[in-house]
């Protein structure tokens, strides 16, 4: 899949494509789209830049394994925000 066509995929379609192919390059696109949002939420919990970076890394590792649980009943952003929030609550 060409880079420009991947960039045009909706978040939900990108997630379904990642689950279908387990393509790490597609996951990198997802990371690029959402890493700042996840980092900001993690920073809100930790109030420490290094800790927030570590939490962000951990969220995305766990996310790769749990993407198949995303059913598309909501926007992916909403699901990811909830996923990140719950991860941080469990961390604290």
């Amino acid at each position: 899949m060409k880079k420009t066509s991947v960039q045009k995929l909706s978040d939900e379609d990108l997630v379904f494509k990642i689950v279908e192919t387990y393509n790490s390059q597609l996951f990198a696109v997802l990371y690029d789209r959402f890493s700042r949002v996840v980092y900001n939420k993690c920073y809100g919990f930790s109030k420490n830049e290094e800790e927030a970076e570590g939490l962000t890394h951990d969220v995305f590792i766990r996310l790769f394994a749990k993407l198949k649980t995303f059913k598309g009943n909501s926007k992916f952003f909403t699901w990811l925000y909830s996923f990140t929030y719950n991860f941080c609550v469990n961390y604290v």
Side-chain angles (χ1 to χ4, degrees):
M1 187 171 269
K2 292 183 180 181
K3 187 174 182 177
T4 55
S5 63
V6 169
Q7 297 297 340
K8 292 180 182 180
L9 286 174
S10 71
D11 300 334
E12 294 76 20
D13 289 339
L14 180 59
V15 168
F16 293 135
K17 187 67 85 177
I18 292 166
V19 169
E20 180 183 303
T21 64
Y22 289 101
N23 185 320
S24 61
Q25 290 176 334
L26 292 177
F27 190 74
V29 172
L30 192 71
Y31 178 87
D32 289 343
R33 287 185 187 181
F34 293 105
S35 61
R36 181 56 46 193
V37 171
V38 170
Y39 172 83
N40 288 338
K41 178 50 66 185
C42 292
Y43 185 80
F45 275 86
S46 69
K47 303 292 189 230
N48 177 294
E49 289 179 12
E50 288 180 14
E51 196 171 1
E53 288 172 8
L55 286 170
T56 300
H57 176 77
D58 293 346
V59 164
F60 277 97
I61 288 173
R62 175 93 35 98
L63 181 66
F64 189 76
K66 296 288 187 177
L67 268 183
K68 62 183 171 283
T69 66
F70 175 70
K71 302 298 181 205
N73 297 330
S74 63
K75 290 289 206 181
F76 176 72
F77 177 81
T78 304
W79 185 86
L80 175 62
Y81 189 88
S82 222
F83 184 91
T84 303
Y85 178 84
N86 290 331
F87 184 89
C88 290
V89 165
N90 288 336
Y91 173 77
V92 171

